[in-house]
Amino acid sequence: MNLYALITFVRSATYLLAVGVVSLVTNTASGEVFSQIGSPFVPTLVSGDPGRDSQFDTAPGVGENAAFATVYDNFTFSTDLSVVNFTWIGGYFFDDGVAPLASTFTVNVFGDDSGSPDLASPAIFTDTISSATLGESQFTAGGFVLREYSANVAPIAVTGGETYWFSAVANVAFADNSWAMAISDAPFDSDSFQGTQDLIVDPFVLNNDSFDYAFSVTAVPEPSSLACLAAILGLRTFRRRRRNS
């Protein structure tokens, strides 16, 4: 192979490699939204209730467990992405403008343990978010007063095809008010859990339910994928400018 042929081969191989990488990044660079919220949202009743308690009691009585009820529901994405937003719907027992509301919500994401939330391991993500910073909107549907919450978060890397478990808990004294996560009207797999422990001496019980909760997760391409694409495009621009000069 002479020098000209070698240079031509290397250029062709480099171009094909660059095109292949750009194609790979492009195919995985589109974001995804996992949603179990119908549009418009229509409350789903289970045993006459539109939701299930998910609350941390900020003023528990003697012998009561502050973390007496938490709901968990699963989500997954087809490719490696970064989660940037959680949205969920819930409601208070008293939403009359008088009863105290939660000043903060705690959001967690857990890994999977054989089809249930891996509560024995540290949460993949946890944050306590002020209600004042949440995009919170009140609406009435099916005769129930409900609220939709939206929390933007720092990117959380998730692996495509893996199962993760989302939970949102209202932090408010149970004696003042109670909060529940709404049941989904657009179920994904009709599989969720509620962990309960009313009294400190009670055993922790993780109940497997046959319905889903009303929440959505928005994810975007991982920063590394975007950086890779930007580097490739920058290299091609540099080479093009060099040829033109």
Side-chain angles (χ1 to χ4, degrees):
M1 180 181 292
N2 60 36
L3 181 60
Y4 175 78
L6 178 61
I7 293 174
T8 302
F9 171 78
V10 171
R11 284 181 173 177
S12 298
T14 302
Y15 172 76
L16 291 174
L17 177 60
V19 170
V21 174
V22 171
S23 177
L24 174 64
V25 173
T26 300
N27 289 340
T28 61
S30 59
E32 295 183 34
V33 177
F34 175 93
S35 181
Q36 295 183 161
I37 301 175
S39 181
F41 179 75
V42 179
T44 299
L45 302 183
V46 174
S47 300
D49 295 323
R52 287 288 185 270
D53 285 346
S54 193
Q55 182 174 347
F56 182 88
D57 189 348
T58 57
V62 177
E64 294 179 342
N65 184 19
F68 69 91
T70 304
V71 300
Y72 311 88
D73 204 350
N74 60 319
F75 68 92
T76 185
F77 289 106
S78 61
T79 59
D80 295 353
L81 295 169
S82 293
V83 171
V84 294
N85 177 270
F86 295 105
T87 298
W88 66 95
I89 293 177
Y92 292 95
F93 188 80
F94 299 107
D95 201 340
D96 53 7
V98 177
L101 306 181
S103 58
T104 61
F105 280 79
T106 299
V107 174
N108 283 296
V109 175
F110 294 94
D112 181 69
D113 180 18
S114 302
S116 64
D118 183 7
L119 303 181
S121 301
I124 294 170
F125 170 83
T126 184
D127 193 14
T128 297
I129 307 169
S130 169
S131 299
T133 64
L134 286 172
E136 181 178 352
S137 59
Q138 185 187 71
F139 66 99
T140 301
F144 295 95
V145 177
L146 299 169
R147 290 175 181 258
E148 182 174 275
Y149 308 84
S150 181
N152 294 325
V153 297
I156 309 163
V158 293
T159 302
E162 289 195 7
T163 298
Y164 299 90
W165 294 86
F166 166 81
S167 76
V169 175
N171 301 308
V172 60
F174 185 77
D176 294 335
N177 214 338
S178 61
W179 186 88
M181 178 89 78
I183 296 168
S184 172
D185 62 343
F188 166 59
D189 59 1
S190 299
D191 185 27
S192 63
F193 288 85
Q194 183 189 43
T196 59
Q197 187 179 14
D198 291 338
L199 301 177
I200 295 175
V201 296
D202 291 337
F204 174 78
V205 178
L206 190 62
N207 299 291
N208 191 188
D209 296 313
S210 58
F211 51 81
D212 288 326
Y213 288 97
F215 78 101
S216 69
V217 187
T218 300
V220 299
E222 292 182 298
S224 57
S225 297
L226 292 177
C228 179
L229 177 59
I232 293 170
L233 294 179
L235 176 61
R236 295 181 67 184
T237 300
F238 170 77
R239 293 182 61 190
R240 187 179 303 113
R241 288 178 177 174
R242 186 176 179 183
R243 285 198 302 270
N244 292 339
S245 63

